[in-house]
Amino acid sequence: MSDFSEELIESKTEDDQEESYVFSGTGMSFPWLQNHIGTIATGGKKEKDFAQTTSACLSFIQEALLKHQWQQAAEYMHSYLQILEDSDSHKRQAAPEIIWKLGSEILFYHPKSNMETFNTFADRMKNIGVMNYLKVRFHINLYPVFHIEVKKPERNLFHSRNARYSEKANSHIVFLNFFRLFLGILQFLFFSKAPLELTLTDEDDYAYNAASQSMLNHSCKTSVNLGALIQTPGVWDPFVKSYVEMLEFYGDRDGAREVLTNYAYDEKFPSNPNAHVYLYNFLKREKAPREKLISVLKILYQIVPSHKLMLEFHSLLRKSEKEDHRKLGLEVLFGVLDFAGCTKNITAWKYLAKYLRQILMGNHLAWVQEEWNSRKNWWPDFHFSSFWAKNDWKEDKTLACEKALVAGILLGKGCRYFRFISKQDDEVLRKKIKRIKKSVENHSIVNPGL
Amino acid sequence: MDLEEAKEFKERCTQCAAVSWGLTDEGKYYCTSCHNVTERSKEVINTGAIPNTKIQAINRGLKRKRKLEKGWDWYVCEGFQQILYQQAEALKTLGVGPKLKDEVLHNFWKRYLQKSKQAYCKNPVYTRGRKATVLEDNPSHSDWDSEPDLLSDFSCPSFVESGPDSQLDSRTQKPFPISKASQSASICSGSLDGVKYSQQKEKGIVKMTVPRTLAFCYLSLLWQRETITLSDLLRFVEEGHIPYINAFQHFPEEMKLYGRDKGIFAIESWPAYEDIYKKMIEIAKFLDLPRFPDITEDCYLHPDILCMKYLMEVNLPDEMNDLTYQVVKMTGIGEVDFLTFDPIAKMAKTVKYDIQAVAVIVIVLKLLFLLDDNLEWTLSNIAEKYNEKNKEDKPWFDFRKWYQVMKKSVDEKKQKWEEARAKYVWKSEKPLYHSSIDRAVVYKRREMVVSLQKQFSALTDSAPTVEKKSPSSFQFNWTEGDSAGTCFHGHSLQGILKKKGQSLTTKNSLYWLSTQKFCRSYCKHVTTYEESNFSLSYQFIINLFSFLLRIKASSLHEEVSLIEKRLFKRKYSKTQKKSRSRKRRKY
């Protein structure tokens, strides 16, 4: 402890530096201005001690909340409530919101609080004029969700939606939607819990009937809430998904289809690839005709050409009897491989190799050339450089073989990639490479005479 | 619960603005949407249906009373008198002699009323101002009304008793007791002259305010030479031992306060030392008080005794008493003429006894340790080594150890103090409102706050954490011989003093002055205190003492400078000679 004095002196020099930093710094942060501004705001008058202590109290509460000291926070809250009687009407009017936020936070976590105290608190908030009462209601219902006591929270919510608040609520359309959404989720939670209970009870039991009855009830309510929500343009992916899940559970296939179709095709909605994905998956489950599936994926192709469903799309197109579908199939494959993320997709390469051969055998050289013309400037470097050849060979020999075949067909025997692979001596793959060489010779689009 | 019957009530609800009323069992309207119960009750329109005319009369009377919230007729000065009475009682329970209340304060107050022409004079303001209206209205009424019932003897209970009697008389005499005059007065305030009082701006009259009640208290304490300093008084106020904030809560039930009274009696700040000090001088001058009783060496307020007290308080060695005694003697601040308050003197100015005593201690610390962030630590090293070697002897005072002990306990105390302040309950149980219109709203709000508070206090521990401290003039408690060795009272200053001839002098021969520039303009500042210009140990000591007295650090610094000015007169007047036995050079 003998160097205590040094400590003091040291801290002093540090202070000095700090100070000079404030003055010399180029930034616009002047923490010491804060105090001055504080006095300016009050018109040079000295702030009353009441105002001072309440703001000190507020910072004590915030600190306590930060440190999760709910007990202390509640103690300070007791004193902070006085601000509701502040003679400064500005502060008085701003207070309810603050009190609501702090108070609900405290009650949320305080070990002694429960649903009941939380409800009474919220009830009182209504009377001191919290601006958006719907929000309060919302919080009330979060309580049971987070405290895992989902009983029938939505009952409260429905109560809160009676006439006298709807006026205010309508002015907060955004929140109203949010609220619906929440309501929907709650019901979905309830729904997803219910089947579990059902499996536990005996089917012949009276309880089973009652349970299924109540579930039907719920689904009814849910469709009201989620259905209304989904009508509004926006991206509602998880909700649409859960909504459809519920509808399917109750066998309402037409309803589900309608929802999904609407979600995917309504022009008011923002362009959303997932909407089409959901619709496609649904239709696939339904075993819809190929034609229909293709039409859905066609739109998805326009939005996201690199989507992983594109390979499925390709196989659909390949099987199609229509010529333009088959042409599109080639386009799709080339499109997928345009993306850097798909360069190592072995399926895509395999499909391409196979399909190229198939098409060239079918005498559609023009299709290939059409696709290739726009790519021949950059694909050689993008896919078929000698670096990639070495790399691919090292990492995945099958991929390298597929790529070598494609490279051979598109660029001819002289291309670096193909040459590298064909020179490799691998016992397992020797036969395969031989076959590749052969098919390159047969099918290469590059004129061998050149 | 009859919605049909409530249909004729068409006003909007004050809480939720809905027009949807029901009737409670008591006949009051309540809002069906937010359950807000109004003060309005359903009026019985068809009076013909009521056979008993007596009921009718009662009905009317009750209604009128509620509307105007009529209590006694009272004057603003009576309110202040009530507060002074409470404060005097509180001082009495703190152990101040009964004379203070019955003789001193009473006399001061009488003198004030006289000087401000409110009573005890030929033509008091109340009769002058109100005579015309009152007289034409009802002579018998003005009998008790015109001259505020300013107790011939000061004790309040008698005033309380005399009030309702006369009130009741007049009410029984007249079926409608509200005279024109009082009606007009009571629309905007509960007191009769609240409106006029708040507008009054007469030159030369010191108007009574709530902080001035404390100035009155201090004046009478000073007159009695009681053992309470101004900083003590204000601390007791803050700790709630003396009624001040919401003092009106304890007014008699029938003294109604609202409207302008709010501005007069509601206080939202703790008293500040400088402010009350100024007010005290102002009042003493206004009252034209004679020279106060002499403050001699055996008075508590004499710097020697106060220094002793504060040395004990901040845990410094008793031996320092000799040094403070010397400083006091040399500066002449212990002399009777200097210490005694004389309001009639040309420059009425009293000594801030507590600040002065503390400043003397600061100077002594500077003399001993220089407080330049260097010498005090060197001396501490020496003391530490000595103490380690000689464990049997009386220990030498170790500044560093003292600093560590004090720093810790002051920080703790400060933290507690800040927390207690943040938890302070400002609002009274009896809310004040501006007019009868917002009365219901204010009461409703109060109710809401109380119920919310109840909810949150249910969450805290059952035992309230802020227990009321019993009043004490000491804030720290250092007992000799506790195991932790945190008490420094018995430590010796041997390491710091050295023998020179017959007298002891400080080892440290240097000194630095807190200021060399005194403000000569009329801004009334002595000097300025820019914390960062001073050494850290000086800052610590100044902050320690200013926290103890709950004053601004700058005012203590000013006082230190003033005493230094007296101590080193010659330095200031630029004479070369050093007159003291201790040699000092300017640092």
Side-chain angles (χ1 to χ4, degrees), chain A residues 1-2 4-5 8-9 11-12 19 48-50 52-53 56-57 60 71 74-79 81-82 84-87 92 103 106-107 110 112-113 117-118 120-121 124-125 127-128 164, chain B residues 15 33-34 262 268-270 373 377 381 384 400 403-404 415 418-419 421-428 431 445-446 448-449 451-461 465 532 534-536:
Chain A
M1 276 312 214
S2 58
F4 201 74
S5 49
L8 272 178
I9 292 161
S11 70
K12 189 185 183 184
E19 207 155 310
K48 280 180 176 166
D49 285 339
F50 173 69
Q52 247 171 21
T53 58
C57 194
F60 273 121
Q71 182 89 14
E75 270 171 46
Y76 286 116
M77 197 65 194
H78 180 268
S79 307
L81 289 167
Q82 292 181 85
L84 288 173
E85 291 180 275
D86 199 323
S87 45
R92 201 172 56 219
I106 294 169
L107 291 175
H110 199 287
K112 277 191 203 168
S113 87
T117 47
F118 197 83
T120 27
F121 175 69
R124 278 166 189 153
M125 283 302 109
N127 290 352
I128 65 167
R164 93 189 109 107
Chain B
Q15 292 294 342
S33 51
C34 68
K262 190 178 173 183
E268 290 196 331
S269 281
W270 285 294
D373 283 345
W377 308 121
N381 288 340
E384 197 183 339
R400 181 183 300 124
Y403 168 81
Q404 285 161 357
Q415 178 71 24
E418 268 162 20
E419 281 168 15
R421 272 168 82 101
K423 283 182 190 168
Y424 191 83
V425 179
W426 289 94
K427 297 298 174 181
S428 72
R445 204 179 285 143
R446 177 77 222 156
M448 186 51 74
V449 170
S451 69
L452 278 171
Q453 281 180 337
K454 224 182 254 167
Q455 194 179 7
F456 278 97
S457 50
L459 290 182
T460 60
D461 280 334
T465 43
S532 54
F534 293 92
S535 65
L536 290 173

Side-chain angles (χ1 to χ4, degrees), chain A residues 131-296:
Chain A
M131 284 309 284
N132 195 344
Y133 186 66
L134 210 53
K135 267 184 196 163
V136 176
R137 274 289 167 205
F138 177 68
H139 275 262
I140 294 176
N141 284 279
L142 274 182
Y143 189 92
V145 174
F146 283 88
H147 289 76
I148 322 166
E149 329 175 352
V150 190
K151 282 168 196 160
K152 282 193 179 171
E154 64 274 16
R155 185 183 296 161
N156 281 329
L157 283 162
F158 283 113
H159 278 292
S160 70
R161 291 185 59 200
N162 60 24
R164 93 189 109 107
Y165 293 109
S166 61
E167 206 175 308
K168 269 185 188 169
N170 281 335
S171 66
H172 298 273
I173 286 290
V174 177
F175 187 76
L176 188 72
N177 279 329
F178 184 49
F179 176 75
R180 274 189 190 143
L181 188 153
F182 170 72
L183 210 62
I185 291 181
L186 270 187
Q187 282 152 354
F188 182 71
L189 272 180
F190 195 79
F191 161 79
S192 54
K193 251 183 86 187
L196 254 173
E197 281 168 13
L198 279 183
T199 51
L200 290 175
T201 48
D202 195 350
E203 281 205 19
D204 300 326
D205 208 341
Y206 170 72
Y208 177 85
N209 287 329
S212 59
Q213 192 62 44
S214 81
M215 249 177 63
L216 274 173
N217 261 340
H218 278 293
S219 82
C220 190
K221 281 181 198 165
T222 314
S223 53
V224 170
N225 283 303
L226 281 181
L229 175 78
I230 290 164
Q231 293 301 316
T232 334
V235 178
W236 304 112
D237 294 352
F239 309 103
V240 171
K241 233 174 137 180
S242 24
Y243 185 42
V244 168
E245 196 178 319
M246 270 198 288
L247 287 176
E248 274 187 275
F249 183 85
Y250 294 114
D252 187 3
R253 298 193 148 265
D254 293 336
R257 192 184 307 114
E258 199 191 315
V259 167
L260 284 171
T261 317
N262 185 47
Y263 189 54
Y265 289 114
D266 196 324
E267 279 178 1
K268 277 176 275 172
F269 282 67
S271 154
N272 180 1
N274 284 342
H276 303 284
V277 175
Y278 296 149
L279 183 59
Y280 171 75
N281 285 334
F282 177 77
L283 291 174
K284 211 168 105 180
R285 276 200 299 276
E286 240 188 359
K287 300 204 168 62
R290 188 190 301 150
E291 203 64 9
K292 196 151 195 179
L293 294 174
I294 287 177
S295 72
V296 173

